Amino acid sequence: MRRMGRTPPHPEVSQFDLQQVLEALVDPVRRSIVTQLDDAAEDLACGTFDIPVSKSTATHHFKVLREAGLIRQYYVGTSRMNALRRADMDKAFPGLLDALTTPQAKGAR
Amino acid sequence: MRRMGRTPPHPEVSQFDLQQVLEALVDPVRRSIVTQLDDAAEDLACGTFDIPVSKSTATHHFKVLREAGLIRQYYVGTSRMNALRRADMDKAFPGLLDALTTPQAKGAR
DNA sequence: ATCAAAGTTTGACAGCCATCGTACTTCTGC
DNA sequence: GCAGAAGTACGATGGCTGTCAAACTTTGAT
């Protein structure tokens, strides 16, 4: 039995790629995850998000967000916690997350 | 012979849709068009852009950008001119275009 | 009138990606 | 130990979309 990756790989800020970040943010489900994290201002377990997809699809979305550098993931018991890497994103692409977490942007559909 | 649409339809600012704008901006070719327009600070004809696609594909990209509200198009002779709708975009989604026209964002790949 | 320049339109095609179900793993509590 | 909870991994699939070539349209110049 191989061990499950206990701590999945996270990119450094210097490795952030704009194309990859935009591809992550263009999906409505993933953008919803980001805004829910932003609203909560607190780390959230995968299962606590309000998203209209199956668990396996959710796992996929969290992976895309993590690999783009948008969230940091760590285990607490069987729960996988998710933290928004806002400071890191701001360093790499200033203003981008701000523009998408504006009430205006959130309200827009 | 039906007339070619002399002035193609442009959405109003109130109709801008964040999802549509992001889908427009996620394509590298289209984002390149936007940054070239931003750099030029001047309207440019379709043919003057430096993009690695065929003419018909270019037409497609310009259409996507126009329908999202990112550019305004108008004819001058046989040339179709393109103008960045920065003010309109700033009104609808403040900070978004700024974040993508930063030297940091442009340099990133 | 003709011709070339600049785009558009249409149809076809290929690759990607969001989605799901199922089987599996890991941890907690009893 | 065992059951359940919380996710993950793995195919498989369906739809979307970026791409092109070819034929066409409109305009400007000769």
Side-chain angles (χ1 to χ4, degrees):
Chain A
M1 297 97 192
R2 68 199 147 70
R3 294 234 105 200
M4 191 193 298
R6 303 285 294 109
T7 302
H10 291 79
E12 314 251 338
V13 175
S14 66
Q15 301 174 318
F16 285 6
D17 176 57
L18 178 60
Q19 183 62 34
Q20 198 175 353
V21 170
L22 288 179
E23 283 170 5
L25 289 172
V26 79
D27 185 279
V29 175
R30 288 194 288 262
R31 210 162 57 254
S32 170
I33 290 173
V34 168
T35 59
Q36 286 180 51
L37 271 176
D38 185 66
D39 287 345
E42 190 187 13
D43 300 0
L44 297 176
C46 291
T48 67
F49 288 85
D50 182 20
I51 48 178
V53 294
S54 69
K55 280 204 297 178
S56 52
T57 300
T59 296
H60 165 66
H61 286 310
F62 285 113
K63 182 183 176 189
V64 172
L65 288 171
R66 186 189 68 234
E67 292 181 341
L70 281 158
I71 61 174
R72 177 166 286 119
Q73 296 190 292
Y74 58 96
Y75 277 98
V76 173
T78 71
S79 291
R80 192 166 217 176
M81 302 303 295
N82 300 276
L84 188 59
R85 297 179 67 178
R86 176 174 270 285
D88 289 340
M89 269 298 142
D90 287 349
K91 226 173 288 178
F93 308 113
L96 182 55
L97 265 188
D98 285 338
L100 297 176
T101 49
T102 287
Q104 207 160 163
K106 286 179 184 169
R109 194 182 201 167
Chain B
M1 297 96 194
R2 69 199 145 71
R3 295 234 106 200
M4 192 194 297
R6 305 285 295 107
T7 302
H10 291 81
E12 314 251 338
V13 175
S14 66
Q15 301 173 319
F16 285 6
D17 176 58
L18 178 61
Q19 183 62 34
Q20 199 175 353
V21 170
L22 288 179
E23 282 170 6
L25 290 171
V26 77
D27 185 279
V29 174
R30 289 194 287 263
R31 209 161 60 252
S32 170
I33 291 174
V34 168
T35 58
Q36 285 180 51
L37 271 176
D38 185 67
D39 288 346
E42 190 187 13
D43 300 0
L44 297 176
C46 291
T48 68
F49 288 85
D50 183 21
I51 48 179
V53 294
S54 69
K55 279 204 296 178
S56 52
T57 300
T59 296
H60 164 67
H61 286 311
F62 285 113
K63 182 182 175 189
V64 172
L65 288 171
R66 187 190 67 235
E67 293 181 340
L70 281 158
I71 62 174
R72 178 167 285 119
Q73 295 191 295
Y74 59 96
Y75 276 98
V76 173
T78 70
S79 289
R80 191 166 218 176
M81 302 302 296
N82 301 276
L84 189 59
R85 297 180 68 178
R86 176 174 271 286
D88 289 339
M89 268 299 143
D90 287 349
K91 225 172 288 177
F93 308 112
L96 181 55
L97 265 188
D98 285 338
L100 297 175
T101 50
T102 287
Q104 208 160 163
K106 288 178 183 171
R109 194 183 198 163

